[in-house]
Amino acid sequence: PFQTVLANVGDAVNDGVDVDINFLVNDHISLGLVASYLFKNEIDEDVAVFDERDPEDLALYLPAGTQLPLTSDTKVSAFAQFSWPVYWFGSGDVYLRMQYSHTGDSWNRLVDNDAAGDEGTGYGGRVKQPAYTLWDLRGGFSSADWEFSAYIDNLTDERAVVFHDTNADLFWGRDNIRTLRPRTYGVSLRRYFR
């Protein structure tokens, strides 16, 4: 039960489109969008791996079209930033920035070791990790010599699953689920030397 097959599965296909837009509304407002959408995200052809000790034993079979793991079909990030000039410490800009990001669902692994289906109820089960959305907020002051900012990352405290490992604890039957950091507050102060 503690064995893992590592094999080269050959070619894969990632066909999609990327968009990157930055727009200056006026001297104080800027908007941005980065988006990716994959039309295809899969193994290109059938993969069959045989056990060298027993050439009749098919150790791994993946049909063409199997979706690649840890890769979402959809990713979107956007921001809106408001800034205005001030005359502190010489001169600089005060800014407020709101950021949004969305990551679509993805599989945790390439193959379902126990054929448990989408539920991933057994050891090495293939699980579909859910999509998640994050909001971040940042504000501060920036000049040629100084930058001060305060931020809140993951504003809504989303407990996004980034990896669901179903073969972490075979004895007790527990999974290992890795999540993004919870809501995080902070401040940053930088001094630039030229």
Side-chain angles (χ1 to χ4, degrees):
F2 298 105
Q3 297 172 352
T4 301
V5 174
L6 298 177
N8 184 351
V9 296
D11 293 335
V13 176
N14 274 317
D15 288 335
V17 62
D18 292 325
V19 175
D20 187 347
I21 300 170
N22 285 294
F23 182 66
L24 189 60
V25 177
N26 58 36
D27 290 343
H28 304 290
I29 301 172
S30 58
L31 305 173
L33 172 74
V34 176
S36 297
Y37 181 76
L38 296 177
F39 304 112
K40 272 187 152 182
N41 172 31
E42 60 193 36
I43 294 174
D44 197 22
E45 54 192 38
D46 292 348
V47 174
V49 177
F50 293 91
D51 187 340
E52 293 178 0
R53 298 165 295 180
D54 182 5
E56 301 295 319
D57 183 20
L58 183 62
L60 174 68
Y61 175 75
L62 298 170
T66 300
Q67 187 173 353
L68 298 174
L70 307 177
T71 307
S72 169
D73 288 344
T74 307
K75 288 190 177 186
V76 178
S77 297
F79 75 87
Q81 181 165 311
F82 305 91
S83 60
W84 54 95
V86 293
Y87 299 98
W88 307 338
F89 303 102
S91 67
D93 291 312
V94 170
Y95 64 90
L96 181 63
R97 180 182 180 107
M98 176 67 84
Q99 296 179 160
Y100 161 89
S101 64
H102 174 80
T103 301
D105 57 22
S106 65
W107 290 101
N108 68 331
R109 64 181 69 240
L110 188 59
V111 64
D112 192 357
N113 292 340
D114 69 350
D118 291 357
E119 299 304 314
T121 54
Y123 176 80
R126 190 172 194 228
V127 177
K128 187 162 270 196
Q129 300 161 153
Y132 59 90
T133 298
L134 299 174
W135 290 91
D136 300 323
L137 181 63
R138 181 174 299 267
F141 167 77
S142 177
S143 73
D145 298 323
W146 292 94
E147 182 176 354
F148 169 78
S149 64
Y151 61 88
I152 305 173
D153 290 339
N154 194 359
L155 191 63
T156 59
D157 202 22
E158 175 80 19
R159 301 303 170 120
V161 174
V162 293
F163 187 67
H164 186 152
D165 187 3
T166 55
N167 56 335
D169 186 348
L170 182 63
F171 184 74
W172 296 104
R174 295 179 296 197
D175 292 354
N176 181 355
I177 298 175
R178 297 178 194 131
T179 62
L180 287 178
R181 294 173 80 180
R183 183 183 305 123
T184 306
Y185 305 88
V187 293
S188 172
L189 178 63
R190 294 182 181 178
R191 170 73 163 99
Y192 301 107
F193 299 94
R194 302 189 193 285

